[in-house]
């Protein structure tokens, strides 16, 4: 299969790779770039564990072709922490037991980040809506919803 | 197996590429096509797409809306001039799906999908196929035959009078889920009686359909419980609902009149 060059920024860093034409962004990120924070779940768009942010919009990397992200800015959970310092969402998930097996967590956190980036003070309904494309089989969702609301509160306190 | 992607500057060029290869598939947002490839569908080996500007344009002028086939559900939610369609676009998938799912792809989406297409049917939309207007109802009827390889550039429709467009999607998962039944309606009233009605169903056949018996039974009646009773009695006429993991055909037929009644009587 023909290889095509793709360039994008991943968590602010320039990346350039040759990918197979038609390869998914999920495959490119995990197998070419080595960002395994993006999880390969159902690969049918149903579970949300592969969710990443592309040019500010939440996308499913399993259904997005890498070539279509040429020139884009891609954000994944792998780029959220600064050294030892966790992102407020990561901290809130950790402190609120919003992670159990952890497989859905990167997708959940990216869905939550996309929400908070556009709506820093969401209502509970906004949060439920924002994570409605992400499946968690462990927590029953409530700790996740509470963690996202807690991260929003922490953000507003630090902004004050 | 890897698949190639070919991007053309115009939809016409993409059409030629599709015509030249039976194993090429047009790619909109990819939520269904790429999923098929991931599931091992070997009937196609090439994605074909186009970057033509008209595919992503939205124009609302002189009482008509034209929406490029490549416009996503998320764009529609954000478009103030299409506020009445926001609940429809919001009913499609979760946030990530809405950022990818296009209007064009929704027209081809198999049951239980196609919620946006149901709204387009009720709006009596026209599709631009090769520069020719094709009624949404004609297109949907020939979706697997005459129009199976047709490329849709845009959809257009007359903006409904304020408050006449109604939409409901019943699903089993809250807040989001695949449809048990989807209903869209444009009901106009004059002097207390219904002067015209267009009713479209999703998940009551293998594709979105109109409900002509209901439409006929509504005209000339008051939009009250008594007025719509005759229409509800023929709600399932002409339907052939599927049985799938979401609901049985029997269940769909039982709940359709209930949701239709609620929708018709809603403010
Ligand atoms: C998890 C999940 C949840 C979903 N939930 C819903 C839902 O709630 N409601 C709903 O309606 N749908 C739903 N869908 C289905 C799908 O996302 C939508 O129907 C969407 O609008 C399809 O558009 P697309 O651009 O992604 O299509 P694509 O996958 O790109 O294409 C689908 C089909 O349409 C053809 N096509 C696309 N654009 C054109 C064009 N311009 N001209 C001619 N042919 C074209 C393609 O060749 C292909 O055959 C869901 C899908 C997933 C994976």
């Amino acid at each position: 299969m023909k290889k095509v060059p793709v360039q994008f920024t991943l968590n602010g860093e320039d990346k350039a790779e040759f990918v197979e034409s038609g390869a998914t962004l999920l495959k490119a990120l995990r197998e070419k770039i080595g960002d395994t924070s993006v999880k390969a779940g159902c690969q049918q768009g149903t579970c949300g564990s592969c969710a990443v942010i592309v040019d500010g919009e939440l996308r499913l990397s399993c259904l997005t072709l890498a070539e279509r992200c040429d020139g884009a800015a891609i954000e994944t959970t792998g780029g959220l922490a600064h050294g030892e310092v966790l992102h407020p969402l990561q901290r809130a998930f950790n402190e609120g037991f919003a992670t159990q097996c952890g497989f859905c967590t990167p997708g959940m956190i990216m869905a939550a980040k996309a929400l908070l980036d556009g709506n820093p003070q969401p209502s509970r309904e906004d949060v439920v809506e924002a994570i409605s494309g992400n499946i968690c089989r462990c927590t029953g969702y409530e700790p996740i919803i509470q963690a996202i609301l807690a991260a929003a509160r922490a953000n507003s306190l630090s902004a004050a | 197996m890897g698949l190639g992607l070919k991007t053309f500057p115009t939809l016409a060029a993409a059409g030629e590429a599709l015509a030249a290869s039976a194993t090429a598939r047009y790619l909109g947002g990819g939520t269904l096509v790429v999923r098929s490839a991931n599931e091992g569908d070997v009937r196609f080996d090439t994605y074909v797409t186009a970057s033509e500007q008209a595919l992503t344009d939205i124009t609302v002028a002189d009482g008509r809306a034209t929406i490029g086939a490549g416009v996503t559900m998320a764009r529609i939610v954000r478009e103030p001039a299409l506020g009445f369609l926001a609940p429809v676009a919001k009913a499609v998938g979760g946030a990530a799906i809405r950022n990818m799912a296009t209007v064009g792809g929704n027209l081809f989406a198999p049951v239980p999908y196609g919620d946006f297409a149901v709204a387009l049917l009720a709006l009596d939309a026209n599709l631009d196929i090769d520069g020719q207007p094709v009624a949404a109802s004609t297109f949907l009827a020939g979706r697997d035959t005459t129009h199976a390889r047709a490329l849709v550039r845009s959809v257009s429709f007359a903006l409904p009078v304020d408050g006449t467009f109604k939409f409901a999607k019943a699903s089993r998962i809250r807040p989001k889920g695949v449809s048990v039944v989807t209903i869209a309606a444009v009901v106009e009233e004059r002097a207390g009686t219904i002067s015209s009605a267009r009713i479209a169903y999703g998940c009551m056949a293998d594709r979105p359909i109109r409900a002509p018996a209901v439409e006929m039974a509504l005209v000339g009646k008051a939009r009250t419980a008594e007025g719509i009773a005759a229409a509800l009695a023929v709600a399932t006429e002409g339907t052939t609902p599927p049985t799938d993991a979401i609901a049985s055909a029997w269940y769909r037929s039982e709940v359709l009149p209930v949701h239709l009644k609620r929708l018709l009587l809603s403010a």
Side-chain angles (χ1 to χ4, degrees):
Chain A
M1 180 51 61
K2 194 174 92 174
K3 302 251 189 211
V4 288
V6 180
Q7 291 188 28
F8 46 71
T9 64
L10 177 62
N11 302 318
E13 263 181 48
D14 285 329
K15 299 283 174 193
E17 265 300 340
F18 280 96
V19 299
E20 276 188 4
S21 180
T24 61
L25 180 61
L26 172 69
K27 205 167 170 203
L29 288 174
R30 286 183 61 87
E31 294 173 21
K32 285 283 181 176
I33 313 263
D35 183 347
T36 52
S37 73
V38 187
K39 300 298 171 209
C42 68
Q43 301 192 54
Q44 297 184 329
T46 309
C47 75
S49 64
C50 69
V52 300
I53 296 178
V54 179
D55 289 336
E57 283 192 339
L58 192 71
R59 300 268 173 132
L60 298 166
S61 62
C62 74
L63 300 181
T64 302
L65 300 191
E67 281 159 277
R68 286 184 138 186
C69 298
D70 197 38
I74 298 171
E75 296 167 65
T76 67
T77 327
L80 289 183
H82 291 294
E84 298 285 292
V85 183
L86 295 180
H87 184 277
L89 274 165
Q90 290 173 307
R91 227 170 18 243
F93 268 61
N94 194 19
E95 287 166 5
F97 299 103
T99 289
Q100 286 185 24
C101 87
F103 200 81
C104 74
T105 307
M108 282 288 182
I109 287 187
M110 293 324 279
K113 182 169 189 301
L115 168 70
L116 298 188
D117 286 350
N119 177 5
Q121 289 304 305
S123 64
R124 185 192 156 83
E125 287 68 38
D126 295 333
V127 172
V128 171
E129 167 65 43
I131 60 167
S132 65
N134 296 65
I135 293 176
C136 172
R137 295 288 80 157
C138 303
T139 64
Y141 298 100
E142 196 53 38
I144 296 176
I145 296 166
Q146 293 307 327
I148 297 169
L149 290 169
R153 281 195 298 273
N155 276 344
S156 72
L157 286 178
S158 64
Chain B
M1 187 188 68
L3 286 92
L5 169 68
K6 292 183 180 164
T7 305
F8 294 90
T10 63
L11 200 61
E16 282 167 26
L18 281 173
S21 167
T23 56
R25 182 76 59 91
Y26 188 79
L27 179 70
T31 58
L32 293 173
V33 179
V34 180
R35 182 165 86 166
S36 291
N38 288 350
E39 286 170 347
D41 189 338
V42 290
R43 288 170 301 173
F44 61 101
D45 58 16
T46 309
Y47 300 113
V48 164
T49 193
S51 54
E52 185 176 311
Q53 177 65 42
L55 287 167
T56 50
D57 281 344
I58 297 179
T59 324
V60 182
D62 303 327
R64 265 195 99 71
T66 302
I67 307 174
V71 168
T72 61
M73 298 299 143
R75 260 289 294 291
I76 288 181
V77 172
R78 291 195 299 266
E79 177 60 52
L82 296 176
F84 72 98
L85 280 176
V88 183
K90 274 189 194 159
V92 175
I97 288 286
R98 284 196 297 279
N99 286 331
M100 304 168 72
T102 67
V103 170
N106 207 271
L107 286 162
F108 286 86
V111 70
Y113 298 139
D115 296 319
F116 200 82
V118 176
L120 291 175
L121 200 51
L123 288 164
D124 204 15
N126 273 326
L127 280 44
D128 175 339
I129 296 178
D130 284 335
Q132 300 300 315
V134 177
S137 51
T138 310
F139 164 80
L140 285 164
R143 185 170 77 170
D144 306 329
T145 51
T146 348
H147 299 300
R149 302 282 280 177
L151 286 183
V152 180
R153 178 169 283 104
S154 61
V155 300
S156 66
F157 49 83
L159 292 172
V161 175
D162 274 356
T164 59
F165 177 81
K166 296 171 190 296
F167 176 80
K169 173 178 173 179
S171 56
R172 302 181 86 149
I173 305 167
R174 302 249 164 230
K176 283 287 141 64
V178 172
S179 174
V180 171
V181 54
T182 300
I183 312 172
V186 178
V187 180
E188 292 181 335
E189 289 165 272
R190 215 167 289 143
T193 57
I194 296 171
S195 54
S196 77
R198 289 194 303 269
I199 312 288
Y201 297 153
C203 289
M204 291 308 295
D206 69 346
R207 67 199 68 198
I209 52 165
R210 285 273 289 268
V214 175
E215 294 172 355
M216 264 170 24
L218 284 174
V219 174
K221 305 282 168 42
R223 200 162 57 84
T224 59
E226 303 79 60
I228 66 168
L232 296 181
V234 293
T236 56
E237 208 174 292
T239 64
T240 49
T243 289
D244 57 21
I246 309 296
S248 66
W250 172 83
Y251 183 78
R252 286 188 157 107
S253 297
E254 290 295 311
V255 299
L256 173 73
V258 177
H259 291 292
L260 181 61
K261 180 177 182 183
R262 284 184 198 154
L263 185 72
L264 289 173
L265 296 181
S266 63

